[in-house]
Amino acid sequence: MPALSCTTGKMEFSYTKSNADSTISLLQIANKIEQTPTEHHFCSYKITLCHYLNHTQLTVLQNRRDLVQATLTMVKGIRVYEHGGPEVMKWEDVDIGEPKTGEIKVKNKAIGINYLDVYMRKGLIPSLCPPLPFTPGMEAAGIVIAIGPGVTTCKVGDYVAYAGFPVCAYTEEMILPADRAVPVPLSIDPIVAAAALFKGLTAQVLVRSCFQIGPEHTILVHAAAGGVGSLLCQWANALGATVIGTVSNKVKAVQAKEDGCHHVIIFKEENLVNRVMEITSGKGVDIAYDSIGKDTFEGSVGCLKFRGYMVSFGFASGSPEPVKFKVFSDKCLFFTVPSMMLYTKERSDLLAASEELFSNIESGILRVRANHKYPLSQVVQAHMDLEDRKTTGSIVLIPDN
């Protein structure tokens, strides 16, 4: 009686035609073959099995393996089924699948939270929001654990991070386009990498790309103690600029000073435009970096000097009122809304910007403030604290496993 022998990794089994109709034997063979390393191997075994099992038994075997393979790709993560407050984020099992052509699978070590995550959770930017349901998150650092066909930019075991699209980071593991992952120096902790990449790339775009900051410039930075603001102030200071930062309270004012602000304005206690004009002897600032939006936009414009730059890169308080042309024409102002993701769309630009960022972190030019860490399962509380302005610096989620 012919015998079938198959090897699956370190597992071996033998199956003979005489017991082909035995349910027990079928389950035994399934238990060993269902976790074969690849679909290619399984298909090879199945072709051989056709000589020993009938169609029904083969179907049972395929379905059983599919179920196990699905279970193997299930990880814990966050899902959003409707737009709304932090409570719409649900902690549950998520099937991430396996990497396809040009993709990699990453086991997350740390996940960054950005205010853009809040916008997407609320559905405030329809052009950017993924369709419901979705897994939030646009920044993480971890280890490559699998690669799909055609991937040449990294290998299994590499330490990488990503920032931007796709929106998928709030999980224990994730699938990414390989060309959006950047190598991280081993000297940089995953928590630092996850806290810094999105915000650091944004800061790089603000001071190095959309405007070239230098010693001759005086700049205004709103939310100077925030994740982007902290890095932006440090970077601009290192480039020689005079930095004026705004914060909401005295505690944050201390941090802003430590992060390179020459002058700090507590906007709840002082008139923004009057104070800026006092600091600049009535000249105004060269650039206003505004991530607040509705509450600060008009004041930011009022602080600019002739031919100044209004740089709007966030809307934490909501979108500003429609801009009146005369407001900008009276002082020949420039207005831009830079997007880190568009500035780093080309991989060469992404690599150059991330290398400069990580180099500045390694050299001590930039100090990353990962001030708040939460288990991934407690992301609801993290978002609540972020929106209530209870946080400074960056917020990082740590996978529960």
Side-chain angles (χ1 to χ4, degrees):
M1 193 69 65
L4 167 67
S5 294
C6 292
T7 302
T8 61
K10 295 182 179 179
M11 298 182 295
E12 295 184 358
F13 65 90
S14 181
Y15 190 77
T16 62
K17 190 173 182 180
S18 61
N19 58 13
D21 295 325
S22 169
T23 302
I24 295 178
S25 295
L26 180 59
L27 290 178
Q28 288 174 338
I29 195 172
N31 284 334
K32 294 183 178 181
I33 201 174
E34 65 195 0
Q35 296 189 43
T36 50
T38 67
E39 185 65 25
H40 170 74
H41 290 134
F42 178 73
C43 289
S44 298
Y45 300 149
K46 190 167 67 173
I47 291 172
T48 306
L49 282 170
C50 287
H51 298 292
Y52 297 87
L53 306 177
N54 61 40
H55 176 74
T56 300
Q57 291 170 325
L58 279 171
T59 301
V60 169
L61 183 58
Q62 177 71 61
N63 291 343
R64 183 181 173 87
R65 180 177 184 272
D66 289 345
L67 178 61
V68 171
Q69 290 297 314
T71 302
L72 293 174
T73 62
M74 296 291 279
V75 297
K76 284 292 186 181
I78 302 298
R79 296 290 282 170
V80 172
Y81 293 91
E82 59 180 327
H83 295 129
E87 71 282 354
V88 302
M89 294 184 291
K90 306 300 181 184
W91 174 248
E92 58 184 46
D93 291 326
V94 178
D95 185 3
I96 62 169
E98 294 295 339
K100 299 180 176 62
T101 300
E103 294 181 336
I104 60 175
K105 179 188 281 191
V106 177
K107 184 176 182 62
N108 287 333
K109 297 296 183 181
I111 302 158
I113 290 183
N114 298 279
Y115 219 94
L116 192 54
D117 300 350
V118 175
Y119 300 156
M120 292 191 175
R121 190 199 73 221
K122 292 181 176 181
L124 297 180
I125 309 179
S127 61
L128 294 180
C129 293
L132 294 169
F134 69 94
T135 295
M138 305 179 72
E139 179 180 36
I143 305 299
V144 178
I145 58 174
I147 62 173
V151 173
T152 59
T153 56
C154 60
K155 62 184 183 301
V156 171
D158 282 356
Y159 174 26
V160 300
Y162 99 106
F165 292 115
V167 180
C168 66
Y170 287 11
T171 54
E172 294 172 334
E173 298 174 7
M174 61 184 177
I175 302 293
L176 293 177
D179 63 358
R180 301 313 298 170
V182 299
V184 183
L186 294 177
S187 61
I188 296 178
D189 187 273
I191 291 176
V192 172
L197 189 57
F198 194 108
K199 302 162 194 66
L201 290 178
T202 300
Q204 195 274 348
V205 166
L206 295 176
V207 302
R208 301 283 286 155
S209 298
C210 76
F211 194 95
Q212 291 280 339
I213 292 291
E216 69 275 19
H217 299 123
T218 299
I219 70 172
L220 174 67
V221 179
H222 286 294
V228 175
S230 171
L231 296 173
L232 174 55
C233 292
Q234 294 178 62
W235 209 323
N237 182 294
L239 293 171
T242 298
V243 183
I244 303 172
T246 73
V247 295
S248 60
N249 58 55
K250 293 180 179 179
V251 174
K252 292 184 178 182
V254 172
Q255 178 185 308
K257 275 280 191 179
E258 294 173 351
D259 287 343
C261 287
H262 300 90
H263 309 275
V264 180
I265 299 171
I266 301 176
F267 60 78
K268 292 182 178 179
E269 301 177 4
E270 303 174 83
N271 180 281
L272 174 64
V273 178
N274 291 346
R275 184 72 181 103
V276 167
M277 289 304 171
E278 179 185 340
I279 294 169
T280 62
S281 301
K283 296 178 181 179
V285 297
D286 295 282
I287 312 109
Y289 291 110
D290 194 328
S291 60
I292 305 299
K294 184 177 181 180
D295 292 349
T296 55
F297 189 89
E298 186 176 343
S300 297
V301 173
C303 291
L304 289 169
K305 69 192 313 182
F306 174 67
R307 292 192 346 193
Y309 279 73
M310 178 63 191
V311 182
S312 180
F313 68 99
F315 309 100
S317 65
S319 297
E321 297 297 324
V323 177
K324 296 180 181 179
F325 180 77
K326 190 175 185 303
V327 171
F328 289 90
S329 64
D330 283 350
K331 291 195 288 185
C332 295
L333 301 178
F334 297 89
F335 177 44
T336 184
V337 185
S339 164
M340 177 275 288
M341 288 170 283
L342 291 179
Y343 271 83
T344 59
K345 184 177 180 179
E346 297 298 326
R347 180 162 176 81
S348 58
D349 294 327
L350 174 64
L351 290 175
S354 62
E355 287 171 4
E356 184 177 14
L357 169 65
F358 291 140
S359 176
N360 283 342
I361 293 173
E362 288 183 301
S363 66
I365 292 175
L366 297 178
R367 175 175 53 179
V368 180
R369 291 183 178 271
N371 292 346
H372 307 272
K373 306 174 189 67
Y374 300 78
L376 176 57
S377 59
Q378 301 302 311
V379 67
V380 170
Q381 185 63 53
H383 272 231
M384 291 172 62
D385 291 348
L386 174 62
E387 291 188 83
D388 290 341
R389 296 187 176 181
K390 294 180 179 179
T391 64
T392 60
S394 297
I395 307 172
V396 176
L397 301 170
I398 308 299
D400 293 54
N401 65 354

Coordinates of all heavy atoms in Angstrom, one line a residue, residues 246-298:
T246 N 4.1 80.2 21.5 CA 2.9 80.4 22.3 C 2.5 79.1 23.0 O 2.7 78.0 22.4 CB 1.7 80.9 21.5 OG1 1.2 79.8 20.7 CG2 2.1 82.0 20.6
V247 N 2.1 79.2 24.2 CA 1.6 78.0 25.0 C 0.4 78.4 25.8 O 0.0 79.6 25.8 CB 2.7 77.5 26.0 CG1 3.9 77.0 25.2 CG2 3.1 78.7 26.9
S248 N -0.2 77.4 26.4 CA -1.5 77.7 27.1 C -1.3 77.9 28.6 O -2.2 78.4 29.3 CB -2.5 76.5 26.9 OG -1.9 75.3 27.4
N249 N -0.2 77.5 29.2 CA 0.0 77.7 30.6 C 1.5 77.8 31.0 O 2.4 77.6 30.1 CB -0.7 76.6 31.4 CG -0.1 75.2 31.0 OD1 1.1 74.9 31.0 ND2 -1.0 74.3 30.6
K250 N 1.8 78.1 32.2 CA 3.1 78.4 32.7 C 4.0 77.1 32.7 O 5.2 77.2 32.5 CB 3.1 79.0 34.1 CG 2.5 80.4 34.1 CD 2.5 81.0 35.5 CE 1.9 82.4 35.5 NZ 1.8 83.0 36.9
V251 N 3.4 76.0 33.0 CA 4.2 74.7 32.9 C 4.7 74.5 31.5 O 5.9 74.1 31.3 CB 3.3 73.5 33.4 CG1 4.0 72.2 33.2 CG2 2.9 73.7 34.8
K252 N 3.8 74.7 30.5 CA 4.3 74.5 29.1 C 5.3 75.6 28.7 O 6.1 75.3 27.9 CB 3.1 74.5 28.2 CG 2.2 73.3 28.4 CD 1.0 73.2 27.4 CE 0.2 72.0 27.5 NZ -0.9 71.9 26.5
A253 N 5.2 76.8 29.3 CA 6.1 77.8 29.0 C 7.5 77.4 29.4 O 8.5 77.8 28.7 CB 5.7 79.1 29.7
V254 N 7.7 76.7 30.5 CA 9.0 76.3 31.0 C 9.6 75.3 29.9 O 10.7 75.4 29.5 CB 8.9 75.6 32.3 CG1 10.2 75.0 32.7 CG2 8.5 76.6 33.4
Q255 N 8.8 74.4 29.4 CA 9.3 73.4 28.4 C 9.6 74.1 27.2 O 10.6 73.8 26.5 CB 8.2 72.4 28.2 CG 8.7 71.4 27.1 CD 7.6 70.4 26.7 OE1 7.1 69.7 27.5 NE2 7.4 70.3 25.4
A256 N 8.8 75.1 26.7 CA 9.1 75.8 25.5 C 10.4 76.6 25.6 O 11.2 76.6 24.6 CB 7.9 76.8 25.2
K257 N 10.7 77.1 26.7 CA 12.0 77.8 26.9 C 13.1 76.8 26.8 O 14.2 77.0 26.1 CB 12.0 78.4 28.3 CG 11.4 79.8 28.4 CD 12.4 80.9 27.8 CE 11.9 82.3 28.1 NZ 12.9 83.3 27.6
E258 N 13.0 75.6 27.4 CA 14.0 74.6 27.3 C 14.2 74.1 25.9 O 15.3 73.6 25.5 CB 13.6 73.4 28.2 CG 13.6 73.7 29.7 CD 13.0 72.6 30.5 OE1 12.5 71.6 29.9 OE2 13.1 72.7 31.8
D259 N 13.1 74.2 25.1 CA 13.2 73.7 23.7 C 13.6 74.7 22.7 O 13.4 74.5 21.5 CB 11.8 73.0 23.3 CG 11.6 71.7 24.0 OD1 12.6 71.1 24.5 OD2 10.4 71.3 24.0
G260 N 14.1 75.8 23.2 CA 14.7 76.8 22.2 C 13.9 78.1 22.0 O 14.4 78.9 21.2
C261 N 12.8 78.3 22.6 CA 12.1 79.6 22.5 C 12.8 80.7 23.2 O 13.1 80.6 24.4 CB 10.7 79.5 23.0 SG 9.6 78.5 22.0
H262 N 13.1 81.8 22.5 CA 13.7 82.9 23.1 C 12.7 83.7 23.8 O 13.0 84.4 24.8 CB 14.4 83.8 22.0 CG 15.5 83.1 21.2 ND1 15.2 82.4 20.1 CD2 16.8 82.9 21.5 CE1 16.4 81.8 19.6 NE2 17.3 82.2 20.5
H263 N 11.5 83.7 23.4 CA 10.4 84.4 24.0 C 9.1 83.5 24.0 O 8.9 82.8 23.0 CB 10.0 85.7 23.2 CG 11.2 86.6 23.0 ND1 11.6 87.5 23.9 CD2 12.0 86.7 21.9 CE1 12.7 88.1 23.3 NE2 12.9 87.6 22.1
V264 N 8.4 83.5 25.1 CA 7.2 82.6 25.2 C 6.0 83.5 25.6 O 6.1 84.3 26.5 CB 7.4 81.5 26.3 CG1 6.2 80.6 26.4 CG2 8.6 80.6 26.0
I265 N 4.9 83.3 24.9 CA 3.7 84.0 25.1 C 2.6 83.0 25.6 O 2.4 82.0 25.0 CB 3.2 84.7 23.8 CG1 4.3 85.7 23.4 CG2 1.9 85.4 24.1 CD1 3.9 86.3 22.0
I266 N 2.1 83.3 26.8 CA 0.9 82.5 27.3 C -0.3 83.2 26.7 O -0.7 84.2 27.2 CB 0.9 82.5 28.8 CG1 2.3 81.9 29.3 CG2 -0.3 81.6 29.3 CD1 2.4 81.8 30.8
F267 N -0.9 82.6 25.7 CA -1.9 83.3 24.9 C -3.2 83.6 25.7 O -4.0 84.4 25.3 CB -2.2 82.6 23.6 CG -2.7 81.2 23.7 CD1 -4.0 80.9 24.1 CD2 -1.9 80.1 23.5 CE1 -4.5 79.6 24.1 CE2 -2.3 78.8 23.5 CZ -3.6 78.5 23.9
K268 N -3.4 82.8 26.8 CA -4.6 83.1 27.6 C -4.4 84.3 28.5 O -5.4 84.8 29.1 CB -4.9 81.9 28.5 CG -5.4 80.7 27.7 CD -5.7 79.5 28.6 CE -6.2 78.3 27.9 NZ -6.6 77.2 28.8
E269 N -3.2 84.8 28.7 CA -2.9 85.9 29.6 C -2.4 87.1 28.8 O -2.4 88.2 29.4 CB -1.8 85.5 30.6 CG -2.3 84.3 31.5 CD -1.2 83.8 32.4 OE1 -0.1 84.5 32.5 OE2 -1.4 82.8 33.1
E270 N -2.0 87.0 27.6 CA -1.4 88.1 26.9 C -2.0 88.3 25.5 O -2.5 87.3 24.9 CB 0.1 87.9 26.7 CG 0.9 87.7 28.0 CD 2.3 87.4 27.8 OE1 3.1 88.3 27.6 OE2 2.7 86.2 27.8
N271 N -2.0 89.5 25.0 CA -2.5 89.8 23.6 C -1.4 89.4 22.7 O -0.3 89.9 22.7 CB -2.8 91.3 23.5 CG -3.3 91.6 22.1 OD1 -2.6 91.7 21.1 ND2 -4.7 91.7 22.0
L272 N -1.7 88.5 21.8 CA -0.7 87.9 20.9 C 0.0 89.0 20.0 O 1.2 89.1 20.0 CB -1.3 86.8 20.0 CG -0.4 86.2 18.9 CD1 0.8 85.5 19.6 CD2 -1.2 85.3 18.0
V273 N -0.8 89.7 19.3 CA -0.2 90.7 18.3 C 0.5 91.8 19.0 O 1.7 92.1 18.6 CB -1.4 91.3 17.5 CG1 -0.8 92.3 16.5 CG2 -2.1 90.2 16.7
N274 N 0.0 92.3 20.1 CA 0.7 93.4 20.9 C 2.0 92.9 21.4 O 3.1 93.6 21.3 CB -0.2 93.9 22.0 CG -1.4 94.6 21.6 OD1 -1.5 95.0 20.4 ND2 -2.3 94.9 22.5
R275 N 2.0 91.6 21.9 CA 3.3 91.1 22.5 C 4.3 90.8 21.4 O 5.5 91.1 21.6 CB 3.0 89.8 23.3 CG 4.2 89.2 24.0 CD 4.5 90.1 25.2 NE 5.7 89.5 25.9 CZ 6.9 90.0 25.8 NH1 7.2 91.1 25.1 NH2 7.9 89.4 26.4
V276 N 3.9 90.3 20.3 CA 4.9 90.0 19.2 C 5.4 91.3 18.7 O 6.7 91.4 18.4 CB 4.2 89.2 18.1 CG1 5.0 89.3 16.8 CG2 3.9 87.8 18.5
M277 N 4.6 92.3 18.5 CA 5.1 93.6 18.1 C 6.1 94.2 19.1 O 7.0 94.9 18.7 CB 3.9 94.5 17.7 CG 3.1 94.1 16.5 SD 4.2 94.0 15.0 CE 3.1 93.2 13.9
E278 N 5.8 94.0 20.3 CA 6.7 94.5 21.3 C 8.1 93.8 21.3 O 9.1 94.5 21.3 CB 6.1 94.3 22.7 CG 7.0 94.8 23.9 CD 6.4 94.4 25.2 OE1 5.2 94.2 25.3 OE2 7.1 94.4 26.2
I279 N 8.0 92.5 21.1 CA 9.3 91.7 21.0 C 10.1 92.1 19.8 O 11.3 92.2 19.8 CB 9.0 90.2 21.0 CG1 8.4 89.8 22.3 CG2 10.2 89.4 20.7 CD1 7.8 88.4 22.3
T280 N 9.4 92.4 18.6 CA 10.1 92.7 17.4 C 10.2 94.1 17.1 O 10.5 94.5 15.9 CB 9.3 92.0 16.2 OG1 8.0 92.5 16.2 CG2 9.2 90.5 16.4
S281 N 10.0 95.0 18.0 CA 10.1 96.4 17.9 C 9.2 96.9 16.7 O 9.5 97.8 15.9 CB 11.5 96.8 17.6 OG 12.4 96.5 18.7
G282 N 8.0 96.3 16.6 CA 7.0 96.8 15.7 C 7.1 96.2 14.3 O 6.3 96.5 13.4
K283 N 8.2 95.4 14.0 CA 8.4 94.9 12.7 C 7.5 93.7 12.4 O 7.1 93.5 11.2 CB 9.9 94.5 12.6 CG 10.8 95.6 12.7 CD 12.3 95.2 12.6 CE 13.3 96.3 12.7 NZ 14.7 95.8 12.6
G284 N 7.2 92.8 13.3 CA 6.5 91.6 13.1 C 7.5 90.4 12.8 O 8.7 90.6 12.7
V285 N 6.9 89.3 12.6 CA 7.8 88.1 12.3 C 7.8 87.7 10.9 O 7.0 88.1 10.1 CB 7.2 86.9 13.1 CG1 7.3 87.1 14.6 CG2 5.8 86.5 12.7
D286 N 8.9 87.0 10.5 CA 9.0 86.6 9.1 C 8.1 85.5 8.7 O 7.5 85.4 7.6 CB 10.5 86.1 8.9 CG 11.5 87.2 9.0 OD1 11.6 88.0 8.1 OD2 12.1 87.3 10.1
I287 N 7.9 84.5 9.7 CA 7.0 83.4 9.5 C 6.2 83.1 10.7 O 6.7 83.2 11.8 CB 7.8 82.1 9.1 CG1 8.9 82.3 8.1 CG2 6.9 81.0 8.7 CD1 10.3 82.3 8.7
A288 N 4.9 82.8 10.5 CA 4.0 82.3 11.5 C 3.6 80.9 11.2 O 3.0 80.6 10.2 CB 2.8 83.2 11.6
Y289 N 4.0 80.0 12.1 CA 3.7 78.5 12.0 C 2.5 78.3 12.9 O 2.5 78.3 14.1 CB 4.8 77.7 12.4 CG 6.0 77.7 11.5 CD1 7.2 78.3 11.9 CD2 6.0 77.1 10.3 CE1 8.4 78.3 11.1 CE2 7.1 77.2 9.4 CZ 8.3 77.8 9.9 OH 9.4 77.8 9.0
D290 N 1.3 78.0 12.2 CA 0.0 77.9 12.9 C -0.6 76.5 12.8 O -1.0 76.1 11.7 CB -0.9 79.0 12.4 CG -2.1 79.2 13.3 OD1 -2.6 78.2 14.0 OD2 -2.7 80.3 13.4
S291 N -0.6 75.8 13.9 CA -1.3 74.5 13.9 C -2.6 74.5 14.6 O -3.2 73.4 14.8 CB -0.3 73.4 14.5 OG 0.0 73.8 15.8
I292 N -3.0 75.6 15.1 CA -4.2 75.8 15.9 C -5.5 76.0 15.0 O -6.5 75.4 15.2 CB -4.1 76.9 17.0 CG1 -2.8 76.6 17.8 CG2 -5.3 76.9 17.8 CD1 -2.8 75.3 18.6
G293 N -5.3 76.9 14.1 CA -6.4 77.2 13.2 C -7.4 78.3 13.6 O -6.9 79.5 13.7
K294 N -8.6 78.0 13.8 CA -9.6 79.0 14.0 C -9.3 80.0 15.1 O -9.5 81.2 14.9 CB -11.0 78.3 14.3 CG -12.2 79.3 14.4 CD -13.4 78.5 14.7 CE -14.6 79.4 14.8 NZ -15.9 78.6 15.0
D295 N -8.8 79.6 16.2 CA -8.6 80.5 17.3 C -7.4 81.4 17.2 O -7.3 82.4 17.9 CB -8.4 79.6 18.6 CG -9.7 78.9 19.1 OD1 -10.7 79.2 18.5 OD2 -9.6 78.0 19.9
T296 N -6.5 81.1 16.3 CA -5.2 81.8 16.2 C -4.9 82.4 14.8 O -4.0 83.2 14.7 CB -4.0 80.9 16.6 OG1 -4.1 79.7 15.8 CG2 -4.1 80.5 18.1
F297 N -5.7 82.0 13.8 CA -5.3 82.4 12.4 C -5.3 83.9 12.2 O -4.3 84.4 11.7 CB -6.3 81.7 11.5 CG -6.0 81.9 10.0 CD1 -5.2 80.9 9.4 CD2 -6.4 83.0 9.3 CE1 -4.8 81.0 8.1 CE2 -6.0 83.1 7.9 CZ -5.2 82.2 7.3
E298 N -6.3 84.6 12.7 CA -6.3 86.0 12.5 C -5.1 86.7 13.2 O -4.5 87.6 12.7 CB -7.6 86.6 13.0 CG -7.8 88.1 12.7 CD -9.2 88.6 13.1 OE1 -10.1 87.7 13.3 OE2 -9.3 89.8 13.2

